[in-house]
Amino acid sequence: MPRRNAPALQARGAPAHSRASVSETELKLLMEAIYFKYSYDFRDYSGASQKRRLLQAMAHFECPTMEAMQALVLKDATLFMELLQYLTIPVSEMFRDPAFFLTLRQQVLPVLQTYPSLKIWIAGCSTGEEVYSLAILLREEGLLERSLIYATDINPLSLDKARRGIFPLGSIKSHTANYQQAGGERAFSDYYTAAYDAAIFDPSLCANVIFSDHSLATDSVFSEMQLVLCRNVLIYFNKTLQNRALGLFHESLGHRGFMALGSKESIEFSAFNMHFESLDKPARIFRKLTAPPAQVS
């Protein structure tokens, strides 16, 4: 549906947005403008990924040029929130990468069992699928009631969805398969109620969850965490922002705390490679070192 005040398309041959392109200069100007206008900082996100998503947004807004789209979203905050859905990729899955959750269950949670209380940070929680996955895991291991979970994201619409804990019923089959492969101990249906086309998850799973707006690009740390999860987020950052985020996680973690990244993410070439040891390389689970290893001259 055409949007009110959207620039008219030059209808000659293919639609204008199908021929659109995004230059480095246009990209930088837009990100600077967004930061100045709305205080969302995407300036150190990966350029290639941003370009793909901006081309999709241009098609959505029916804007033939980046200049036209910039004028549109800077004028209307509501339209900017629509653009934010493209810039943040609010897509997730319950028990995504089941082998990771199985490793978490078998190698990390037994260590966390030794703590009287737990603080956990899920950075970039998106629409909450990972939050509920972890909560289920913690409940089955008897840790949920003594855990405080900070679930953060920069997208307010995603955070609202996460708080509600309502997910499409059509995705439950794949979620159930993931849960079973992750070592699930019960029937997955024990954790939700089906209503119409939705699965409404047990609200008690998030009784100890604090959903909060937080930017890895601009905000500071949460302190004394025993576990930090930031999976499939760093791949959208450039090297500068990756190092900033890893610095936040390192500073947030308490003594010998655990950090989990996505399956395509690594700290190998980061500024913090020497500050963590790999607990399980395939699962991308790391543990904070008490001190970096001494350099051999």
Side-chain angles (χ1 to χ4, degrees):
M1 179 182 295
R3 301 188 171 278
R4 183 169 56 87
N5 295 330
L9 291 175
Q10 303 299 317
R12 184 176 180 179
H17 59 72
S18 70
R19 303 191 304 270
S21 63
V22 179
S23 71
E24 292 291 337
T25 300
E26 289 175 320
L27 180 63
K28 290 179 180 179
L29 287 173
L30 177 61
M31 297 309 154
E32 288 287 351
I34 286 173
Y35 179 63
F36 180 78
K37 174 77 173 182
Y38 297 110
S39 298
Y40 281 85
D41 193 351
F42 294 100
R43 294 174 298 176
D44 282 320
Y45 278 55
S46 168
S49 177
Q50 282 183 331
K51 287 181 180 180
R52 288 194 301 272
R53 285 174 274 160
L54 285 170
L55 287 171
Q56 294 171 357
M58 288 169 70
H60 171 73
F61 289 119
E62 298 188 344
C63 290
T65 65
M66 275 284 291
E67 182 181 9
M69 190 176 72
Q70 177 169 318
L72 196 67
V73 298
L74 293 182
K75 185 183 299 184
D76 190 329
T78 302
L79 295 184
F80 168 70
M81 291 307 298
E82 290 188 37
L83 176 62
L84 189 63
Q85 307 316 303
Y86 289 88
L87 294 177
T88 57
I89 317 181
V91 177
S92 189
E93 181 182 352
M94 296 196 75
F95 292 95
R96 182 177 183 179
D97 300 324
F100 161 77
F101 282 96
L102 184 60
T103 302
L104 195 68
R105 185 193 292 268
Q106 294 176 341
Q107 297 192 40
V108 176
L109 297 194
V111 178
L112 298 186
Q113 288 274 10
T114 64
Y115 290 83
S117 62
L118 298 174
K119 292 174 70 177
I120 299 169
W121 178 15
I122 303 177
C125 71
S126 188
T127 47
E129 285 87 343
E130 189 163 73
V131 178
Y132 287 85
S133 300
L134 182 62
I136 289 170
L137 200 65
L138 291 170
R139 173 161 288 177
E140 292 185 353
E141 298 300 321
L143 291 170
L144 184 60
E145 285 67 29
R146 51 188 166 114
S147 298
L148 179 61
I149 302 172
Y150 294 89
T152 66
D153 203 272
I154 63 171
N155 188 329
L157 296 184
S158 293
L159 286 171
D160 285 343
K161 290 179 181 179
R163 289 187 186 97
R164 290 196 296 269
I166 302 174
F167 304 106
L169 198 58
S171 61
I172 290 299
K173 184 177 180 180
S174 63
H175 294 341
T176 301
N178 288 347
Y179 166 73
Q180 292 168 342
Q181 294 173 45
E185 299 176 349
R186 301 171 59 176
F188 192 54
S189 57
D190 289 348
Y191 295 107
Y192 67 87
T193 302
Y196 300 100
D197 293 326
I200 305 170
F201 277 75
D202 182 354
S204 69
L205 290 169
C206 286
N208 295 340
V209 177
I210 298 173
F211 291 99
S212 177
D213 178 276
H214 182 277
S215 170
L216 294 173
T218 58
D219 292 329
S220 57
V221 303
F222 295 90
S223 62
E224 290 302 310
M225 300 288 128
Q226 281 74 51
L227 173 63
V228 172
L229 281 75
C230 184
R231 303 177 64 237
N232 307 300
V233 175
L234 298 187
I235 54 174
Y236 300 111
F237 295 172
N238 66 16
K239 185 68 69 175
T240 299
L241 189 50
Q242 286 176 2
N243 280 326
R244 186 185 198 278
L246 290 170
L248 292 179
F249 303 152
H250 182 266
E251 188 176 348
S252 293
L253 285 168
H255 177 72
R256 300 287 286 151
F258 296 92
M259 176 181 72
L261 303 179
S263 60
K264 296 180 180 179
E265 297 167 332
S266 173
I267 64 170
E268 186 174 354
F269 301 105
S270 76
F272 288 86
N273 182 39
M274 304 298 289
H275 295 265
F276 290 91
E277 63 179 346
S278 177
L279 180 73
D280 189 286
K281 190 171 183 178
R284 299 296 195 272
I285 298 175
F286 305 87
R287 196 167 189 187
K288 182 179 179 178
L289 293 171
T290 53
Q295 298 293 325
V296 178
S297 57

